[in-house]
């Protein structure tokens, strides 16, 4: 898993967005941790089976909402590499579609 896009502060919308790329090698660990935390099943071993003939590329959009009265006191806002002052377009990968 890797952070592949700049951290963006959407000042008009009031949140900081960070995107992570998740590839096929990450999925077993993510799925195993999810199952161990959120299921009641008694599981000794997990085998992840991918029936898709192509690589899996996922992007996780993670948002941190910021205090509108003092947005720059938040560490997340300070980490932002880009400030976007316009409206949020919702497109995680602009220019690729």
């Amino acid at each position: 898993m890797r952070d592949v896009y700049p951290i963006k502060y959407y000042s008009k919308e009031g949140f900081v967005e960070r995107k992570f790329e998740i590839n096929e090698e990450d999925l077993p660990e993510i799925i195993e941790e999810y199952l161990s935390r959120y299921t009641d099943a008694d599981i000794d071993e997990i085998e992840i089976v991918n029936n898709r003939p192509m690589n899996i590329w996922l992007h996780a959009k993670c948002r941190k909402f910021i205090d509108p009265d003092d947005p720059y006191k938040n560490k997340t806002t300070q980490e932002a590499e880009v400030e976007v002052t316009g409206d949020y377009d919702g497109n995680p990968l602009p220019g690729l579609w």
Side-chain angles (χ1 to χ4, degrees):
M1 186 176 328
R2 64 187 180 132
D3 191 349
V4 294
Y5 297 98
I7 301 168
K8 295 180 182 177
Y9 170 46
Y10 289 89
S11 56
K12 185 175 179 181
E13 304 293 334
F15 65 85
V16 174
E17 182 177 77
R18 178 186 302 248
K19 295 176 189 158
F20 295 96
E21 180 181 273
I22 302 167
N23 60 34
E24 191 170 359
E25 292 80 34
D26 300 319
L27 290 178
E29 183 178 344
I30 293 168
I31 293 169
E32 287 176 17
E33 183 166 331
Y34 177 85
L35 291 174
S36 67
R37 283 186 183 191
Y38 300 109
T39 63
D40 294 334
D42 186 15
I43 300 171
D44 289 325
E45 184 177 288
I46 300 170
E47 179 182 354
I48 307 302
V49 178
N50 180 5
N51 292 329
R52 303 175 98 182
M54 58 187 189
N55 289 338
I56 298 172
W57 292 89
L58 303 172
H59 292 87
K61 294 191 321 182
C62 304
R63 293 182 183 163
K64 172 68 177 169
F65 290 92
I66 305 302
D67 178 5
D69 296 329
D70 194 3
Y72 292 99
K73 77 174 182 181
N74 190 295
K75 180 183 174 213
T76 306
T77 308
Q78 296 168 9
E79 291 175 346
E81 299 165 355
V82 176
E83 181 173 348
V84 180
T85 56
D87 292 331
Y88 178 66
D89 67 1
N91 185 357
L93 303 170
L96 295 180
W97 307 127

